[in-house]
C-alpha cells in the first residue's frame, strides 16, 4: 500500500461525534475515566485529497477534567488500557458513515499491549459488526504504546498477524530524541506522530516535526503528522518529510464532576 486510500479525492465532513455520550469506566485504582471521541481527516500532501478518517480517543479523569494523553497510558494497568481499546472499537461500530465517508479507510488506534494478546486481536472485528471482509477492506490499525522496550520481533509478529486481517497497520511514534529507535528493525506501512503528544509552544511542535521527520525517513512508506494545531503546520510537516497530515479539532471543555 503506497497511499492510504488511492486517489479517490473524496471530500468528507468530519468533526466531533454527536449524539453519542462519553464512555465511562472505573480504573483498577478506582478512578473514573470518561472517553469521548472525535474524527480526524487525514490528507495526502502530495495529492491534496482526503486519504482516510481517523478515530481519536480523548480520555479524561472525570473528577479533575484532566486529559490523559496516549503517552501516559503506561501509568494505566493492562485491564484499563484494554477497556479504552474496547470502547474505541465500540465507538467505531456505532459510526454511520455517509456514502462518501464509507469509501475511505478508517484508522483505529489500539494499544500494543492489547493487540499482543489473541483476545485483543480477535476483538477488532467488533468494529465492523463481525464482518471480516469489511475489516480487511477498510480498517487500518494504528498501534500505540510502542517504545524502546518493545521487542521488535514480537512487534513484527503482531503486525504480520494484523496485516492478514486488516487493510493496514501503522505505528505511533513517541516524540523525543530517539522517537524512531523502536522501528529500525520493524516494517510497517506508516509511522504516525501525534502533535498532541508534544508539550510546549508552537515552536516546540515545529521543532519536533523536523526532528522526528529526520529520524523516521526511510523507515516506512508513509509518514503521518496528526493532531496539528493549525493548517500552517502542514508546510512544516511537508518540509520535514511527512506525507500525510491531520489537523486537530478543538477538544470540548472539561466538565468537572
Amino acid at each position: 500500500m503506497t497511499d492510504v486510500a488511492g486517489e479517490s479525492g473524496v471530500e468528507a465532513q468530519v468533526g466531533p461525534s454527536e449524539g453519542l455520550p462519553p464512555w465511562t469506566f472505573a480504573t483498577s485504582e478506582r478512578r473514573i475515566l470518561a472517553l469521548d471521541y472525535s474524527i480526524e481527516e487525514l490528507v495526502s500532501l502530495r495529492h491534496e485529497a482526503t486519504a482516510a478518517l481517523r478515530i481519536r480517543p480523548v480520555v479524561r479523569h472525570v473528577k479533575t477534567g484532566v486529559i490523559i494523553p496516549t503517552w501516559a497510558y503506561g501509568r494505566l494497568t493492562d485491564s484499563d488500557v484494554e477497556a479504552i481499546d474496547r470502547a474505541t472499537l465500540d465507538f467505531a461500530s456505532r459510526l454511520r458513515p455517509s456514502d462518501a465517508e464509507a469509501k475511505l479507510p478508517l484508522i483505529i488506534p489500539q494499544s500494543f499491549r492489547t493487540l499482543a494478546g489473541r483476545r485483543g486481536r480477535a476483538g477488532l472485528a467488533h468494529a465492523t459488526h463481525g464482518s471480516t471482509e469489511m475489516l480487511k477492506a477498510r480498517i487500518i490499525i494504528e498501534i500505540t504504546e510502542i517504545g524502546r522496550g518493545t521487542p521488535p520481533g514480537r512487534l513484527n509478529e503482531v503486525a504480520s498477524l494484523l496485516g492478514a486481517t486488516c487493510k493496514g497497520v501503522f505505528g505511533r511514534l513517541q516524540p523525543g530524541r530517539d522517537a524512531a529507535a523502536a522501528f529500525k528493525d520493524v516494517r510497517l506501512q506508516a509511522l504516525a506522530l501525534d502533535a498532541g503528544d508534544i508539550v510546549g509552544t508552537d515552536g516546540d511542535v515545529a521543532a519536533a516535526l523536523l526532528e522526528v521527520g529526520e529520524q523516521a525517513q526511510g523507515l516506512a512508506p508513509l509518514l503521518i503528522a496528526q493532531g496539528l494545531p493549525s493548517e500552517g503546520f502542514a508546510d512544516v510537516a511537508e518540509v520535514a518529510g511527512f506525507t500525510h497530515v491531520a489537523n486537530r479539532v478543538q477538544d470540548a471543555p472539561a466538565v468537572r464532576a
Side-chain angles (χ1 to χ4, degrees):
M1 184 175 64
T2 57
D3 205 340
V4 178
E7 311 311 323
S8 65
V10 172
E11 293 184 2
Q13 299 298 321
V14 296
S17 58
E18 296 180 357
L20 293 176
W23 281 249
T24 59
F25 72 97
T27 71
S28 56
E29 297 180 345
R30 302 293 183 182
R31 294 185 299 167
I32 305 299
L33 300 183
L35 292 91
D36 206 344
Y37 296 90
S38 61
I39 306 294
E40 296 183 339
E41 182 179 0
L42 194 68
V43 175
S44 166
L45 290 173
R46 178 181 177 185
H47 305 291
E48 299 183 350
T50 301
L53 302 178
R54 176 181 178 270
I55 294 176
R56 181 206 175 207
V58 181
V59 184
R60 301 181 193 274
H61 183 208
V62 170
K63 185 175 182 180
T64 64
V66 172
I67 293 177
I68 301 176
T70 307
W71 59 261
Y73 284 11
R75 303 169 189 171
L76 301 173
T77 66
D78 291 353
S79 60
D80 295 339
V81 172
E82 187 178 1
I84 294 172
D85 289 337
R86 283 201 311 268
T88 302
L89 295 175
D90 190 33
F91 173 79
S93 74
R94 299 184 185 213
L95 291 175
R96 297 295 180 265
S98 66
D99 291 342
E101 291 170 341
K103 297 177 183 177
L104 295 169
L106 181 66
I107 303 170
I108 304 178
Q110 295 279 282
S111 168
F112 178 72
R113 275 190 276 174
T114 299
L115 296 171
R118 181 180 300 177
R119 183 176 69 174
R121 295 191 300 273
L124 297 177
H126 178 60
T128 56
H129 302 278
S131 171
T132 56
E133 293 82 3
M134 184 60 70
L135 191 66
K136 184 65 175 177
R138 190 177 183 228
I139 302 301
I140 295 172
I141 300 301
E142 178 187 313
I143 308 177
T144 66
E145 283 201 298
I146 299 173
R148 290 185 63 89
T150 305
R154 182 58 175 150
L155 178 55
N156 272 319
E157 180 184 1
V158 170
S160 178
L161 291 168
L162 293 172
T165 58
C166 301
K167 180 177 178 65
V169 185
F170 294 176
R172 173 83 69 82
L173 292 156
Q174 298 187 23
R177 187 163 46 189
D178 299 320
F183 299 95
K184 292 190 181 300
D185 297 314
V186 177
R187 288 300 169 187
L188 301 174
Q189 288 147 315
L191 298 180
L193 174 69
D194 194 316
D197 289 341
I198 302 168
V199 179
T201 64
D202 286 354
D204 294 321
V205 173
L209 288 171
L210 293 169
E211 179 181 21
V212 173
E214 181 178 5
Q215 292 180 41
Q217 286 303 308
L219 296 182
L222 308 179
L223 189 57
I224 299 166
Q226 58 205 26
L228 298 179
S230 68
E231 292 184 3
F233 282 91
D235 294 333
V236 180
E238 188 167 19
V239 169
F242 287 83
T243 61
H244 293 72
V245 297
N247 293 325
R248 174 128 304 158
V249 295
Q250 184 66 35
D251 289 328
V255 179
R256 296 183 180 273

